[in-house]
Amino acid sequence: MSHDTDIARSAELADALGAIALDSETAKHEQVRNRLIEVIELLQSGDRLPPERELAARFGVSRMTLRQAISGLASAGYVVRVQGDGTFVADPTISKSSELTGFSEDMAARGFRPSSRLLAISHVSAGAALGQELVISPEEMVFHLERVRMADGIPMCLETIDLPARLTPGLDQQPLDQSLYEILRAVYGIELFEADQVILPTVVNQEQADLLRVPVHSPALIVKRIGYDKKRRPIERAMSIYRGDRYDIRMTVRRNPT
Amino acid sequence: MSHDTDIARSAELADALGAIALDSETAKHEQVRNRLIEVIELLQSGDRLPPERELAARFGVSRMTLRQAISGLASAGYVVRVQGDGTFVADPTISKSSELTGFSEDMAARGFRPSSRLLAISHVSAGAALGQELVISPEEMVFHLERVRMADGIPMCLETIDLPARLTPGLDQQPLDQSLYEILRAVYGIELFEADQVILPTVVNQEQADLLRVPVHSPALIVKRIGYDKKRRPIERAMSIYRGDRYDIRMTVRRNPT
DNA sequence: TAGTGGTCTAGACCACGAC
DNA sequence: TCGTGGTCTAGACCACTAG
């Protein structure tokens, strides 16, 4: 790396770091984190970040607060910290980590335009198995919906979702060709926080093959998921079948993600 | 929850928290973390942990240090923190998170006895594709090994691994029916830190079917992985084919794993 | 040796939830 | 209201890495 490049970088950095107005609504470490992401996007992978003490001074926060921000970035895979040396912009990885994302986000991140076709929606009682998974009475009503999810208009996955109707009254009046997670958030104030997932392989049957426009018995991935909110109350049970020829699951896993 | 139960819990807790001898080798927050894990294992899911201030006093550390320990436990899924209320033992989840684990650990965690059969090992030049993935010259030598991995003696997966021979001289003299990761660590001082993975569905061909003892064209999962050390130097390329009837991939994913 | 990140302290105040 | 976890500070010393 040439000296000139370093100087050019420094100038960019100074720009990006200048004039920070911290508002009082958001936690400081979060504001700092967001500022740092902007800075990182100006740099290239492998570039060294300014020392923590200097960054803290520039942002006008204590070093502990600055470190809290950087810790978030490190665990999200943006930067790598090396004791005794410095903090460096990480290589772009396949995915930042294995996060909980909806289909819409997932596809958008891969550069496709997501869309949906609603196949069916019904309002039925949960029954024993589903009731147990969602921790509700078997008699309680749920919305059951089936969709084809598409990327750039190409069918990618068949999705079956069940949600307690109590949590989402009038869900059948919503535009279900859009992001369900977005509807949950905006209309019902429900935020999915975590999910337990199981991934298995299968081959598609005739009906699934027709919907996905692949040959019968093509390999496919089944993803079963139970989604929870922040207090680990079950929100949804989902089962998705992804065509194997155009979809894969990518993730970065780490040792001891403490 | 009855009052009696609370009292009984308190007694257990007091026991578990008593007499802590901190050694100076390990970081305090790590020692505290390990002690807390012992405490948590005595409790049941949903039980409330003592307040941070009290725990800090008991362990003889500052509250910040105690919080660092609890943060680790929270992100690893052991506990859930609720502002204004308390910290609670988490429900046992399907898996604590999606961590980087070897087959041996993975199987041991599920309660099976892992074993391996070495099918082949060779010492060849990397070639173009592998060279690019491991960021080495196409002419550089690699060890190429193929194994059948078993759980309680039942074939679960076919594994193909390539490693730069420069990093692991004499690997072909090692007992490769055991954990490769353990050999890497103990013999070569190489610690895998993170890996990029891709998961896809497939169906097994005749040869794979024979080795896995499943019918030909059975569904299976392919897991492709490139493993890196802490400095993100590529260490291994692995491809595993898991039988779909007895194996699935389980994980807990979270929103914004900051 | 100098500079980096890693740890740790002893306070302080705030935001939130249960009562 | 009170107790909880969440944030933040201004220092201090340690462990490690580069030169």
Side-chain angles (χ1 to χ4, degrees), chain A residues 132-198:
Chain A
Q132 194 157 36
E133 292 186 292
L134 292 181
V135 195
I136 58 178
S137 152
E139 285 82 32
E140 188 168 335
M141 299 303 282
V142 297
F143 281 113
H144 173 91
L145 49 110
E146 299 179 13
R147 302 194 291 179
V148 183
R149 310 301 309 259
M150 291 163 284
D152 284 352
I154 298 171
M156 294 292 282
C157 124
L158 308 176
E159 190 182 66
T160 306
I161 301 185
D162 297 277
L163 312 98
R166 172 176 42 83
L167 297 178
T168 55
L171 180 67
D172 43 3
Q173 308 304 320
Q174 297 293 331
L176 291 168
D177 53 345
Q178 296 171 27
S179 167
L180 176 63
Y181 283 14
E182 184 54 26
I183 292 172
L184 287 179
R185 196 188 58 72
V187 180
Y188 300 103
I190 296 174
E191 200 97 52
L192 260 81
F193 172 66
E194 68 175 23
D196 290 334
Q197 288 191 165
V198 182

Side-chain angles (χ1 to χ4, degrees), chain A residues 102-138:
Chain A
F103 180 87
S104 302
E105 289 167 85
D106 190 7
M107 286 305 131
R110 294 176 192 220
F112 298 113
R113 190 177 44 77
S115 58
S116 298
R117 186 157 61 87
L118 183 64
L119 295 178
I121 181 167
S122 54
H123 190 231
V124 296
S125 56
L130 177 58
Q132 194 157 36
E133 292 186 292
L134 292 181
V135 195
I136 58 178
S137 152

Side-chain angles (χ1 to χ4, degrees), chain B residues 103 107 111-117 148-157 211-213 243 246:
Chain B
F103 180 87
M107 285 306 132
F112 298 114
R113 190 179 44 77
S115 59
S116 297
R117 186 157 61 88
V148 183
R149 310 301 310 260
M150 289 162 287
D152 283 354
I154 298 171
M156 294 293 281
C157 123
L211 287 166
L212 287 174
R213 309 226 185 95
R243 58 192 289 174
R246 285 176 182 264

Side-chain angles (χ1 to χ4, degrees), chain A residues 77-96:
Chain A
Y78 283 97
V79 298
V80 177
R81 302 209 264 199
V82 182
Q83 183 175 150
D85 194 357
T87 301
F88 303 86
V89 177
D91 287 343
T93 53
I94 292 181
S95 73
K96 286 301 179 187

Side-chain angles (χ1 to χ4, degrees), chain B residues 27-29 53 60-65 68 83-85:
Chain B
K28 278 191 190 175
H29 70 86
R53 288 161 180 85
V61 299
S62 77
R63 190 175 157 221
M64 286 296 273
T65 303
Q68 190 175 358
Q83 184 174 148
D85 194 358

Side-chain angles (χ1 to χ4, degrees), chain B residues 24 134 197 217:
Chain B
S24 55
L134 291 181
Q197 288 191 166
H217 298 149

